[in-house]
């Protein structure tokens, strides 16, 4: 099984989910590059679910204001309409429907079951958990990181430090080790288009 789901294939599968709440949950986690406990009720930490008020709407973008679960530092993740209106509209629509309060007042187990329902072929390899009963939803976080790094989100590759800040990592070492599925081929165009050095 290929570990990285290509951006356009993931987009197609997310938009095909008929359950709007499930669709909004997975789109929000993916767009915010979020830990599942930052969006729903944390299993091991006393975190509150992401609130509808944390989705800010602007003419050119939405912003997802996430309170980082591990670092306790808030972060702001922009989703620009000119490139990802499909994500912005899905998340914004659910936030408006909820109005006030938690977007997803459910447990991490519920969220993991939602992911497993729509992406049953992806299993966890972490902590020897070959059956995929835990952590499978973190594929969304890893795919988003790689899509930033490959340039699928912005049209050009995003530096690992910037992608890490969007995902709430203190250092880029963790996502580079566990979540980066990029290959040198992903950067060939960028390398080829570097200006030619002129000899003195």
């Amino acid at each position: 099984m290929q570990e990285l789901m290509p951006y356009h294939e993931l987009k197609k599968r997310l938009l095909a989910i008929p359950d709007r709440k499930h669709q909004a949950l997975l789109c929000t986690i993916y767009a915010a590059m979020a830990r599942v406990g930052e969006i729903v009720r944390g299993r091991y930490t006393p975190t509150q679910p992401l609130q509808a008020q944390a989705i800010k709407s602007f003419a050119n973008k939405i912003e997802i204001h996430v309170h980082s679960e591990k670092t306790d530092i808030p972060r702001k993740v922009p989703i620009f309409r000119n490139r990802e209106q499909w994500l912005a509209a899905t998340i914004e629509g659910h936030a408006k429907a909820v109005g006030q309060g938690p977007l997803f007042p459910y447990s991490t187990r519920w969220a993991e079951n939602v992911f497993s329902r729509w992406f049953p072929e992806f299993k966890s390899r972490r902590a020897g958990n070959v059956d995929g009963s835990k952590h499978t939803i973190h594929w969304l976080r890893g795919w988003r990181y790689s899509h930033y790094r490959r340039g699928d989100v912005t049209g050009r590759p995003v530096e690992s430090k910037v992608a890490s800040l969007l995902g709430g990592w203190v250092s880029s070492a963790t996502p580079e080790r566990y979540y980066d599925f990029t290959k040198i081929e992903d950067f060939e165009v960028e390398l080829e288009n570097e200006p030619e050095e002129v000899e003195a």
Side-chain angles (χ1 to χ4, degrees):
M1 180 186 67
Q2 183 180 358
E3 291 184 332
L4 175 63
M5 179 171 288
Y7 180 84
H8 291 291
E9 182 180 344
L10 178 62
K11 174 183 176 180
K12 181 179 179 180
R13 288 185 62 167
L14 287 173
L15 289 177
I17 295 174
D19 187 305
R20 296 307 182 195
K21 186 183 298 181
H22 290 183
Q23 182 187 67
L25 169 76
L26 300 181
C27 283
T28 302
I29 291 174
Y30 170 71
M33 215 185 313
R35 301 172 182 89
V36 64
E38 295 171 344
I39 304 301
V40 299
R41 291 198 310 269
R43 179 179 296 175
Y44 303 113
T45 55
T47 57
Q48 295 298 314
L50 187 71
Q51 303 293 301
Q53 306 91 293
I55 309 300
K56 309 293 185 183
S57 297
F58 301 91
N60 65 328
K61 65 181 178 180
I62 66 167
E63 289 178 352
I64 307 172
H65 291 245
V66 183
H67 196 82
S68 294
E69 184 181 32
K70 291 190 176 181
T71 62
D72 202 35
I73 299 173
R75 69 182 189 274
K76 177 178 63 178
V77 183
I79 309 298
F80 291 94
R81 299 183 189 277
N82 64 333
R83 294 202 65 91
E84 295 191 301
Q85 175 60 12
W86 67 277
L87 267 181
T90 299
I91 297 166
E92 187 177 48
H94 183 68
K96 288 181 177 179
V98 171
Q100 297 285 326
L103 284 175
F104 308 101
Y106 308 105
S107 67
T108 54
R109 183 180 297 276
W110 172 82
E112 289 162 358
N113 287 336
V114 168
F115 179 84
S116 295
R117 175 178 177 181
W118 301 108
F119 295 88
E121 72 272 32
F122 288 94
K123 306 296 183 182
S124 175
R125 296 181 180 178
R126 302 176 66 180
N129 178 31
V130 295
D131 293 329
S133 60
K134 297 189 299 182
H135 300 303
T136 52
I137 199 166
H138 284 291
W139 283 104
L140 292 169
R141 184 165 159 83
W143 292 334
R144 186 65 168 176
Y145 181 84
S146 284
H147 293 159
Y148 269 118
R149 295 285 288 118
R150 289 160 54 99
D152 297 326
V153 176
T154 63
R156 59 186 182 277
V158 173
E159 292 184 8
S160 59
K161 179 176 177 59
V162 176
S164 298
L165 288 173
L166 289 169
W169 286 287
V170 176
S171 165
S172 61
T174 298
E176 287 290 318
R177 179 178 179 184
Y178 292 108
Y179 296 116
D180 190 3
F181 301 117
T182 55
K183 305 181 297 295
I184 191 63
E185 289 80 6
D186 298 324
F187 303 98
E188 281 188 357
V189 173
E190 182 184 43
L191 294 171
E192 182 182 0
N193 290 336
E194 286 294 319
E196 184 178 352
E197 292 186 7
V198 179
E199 294 184 3

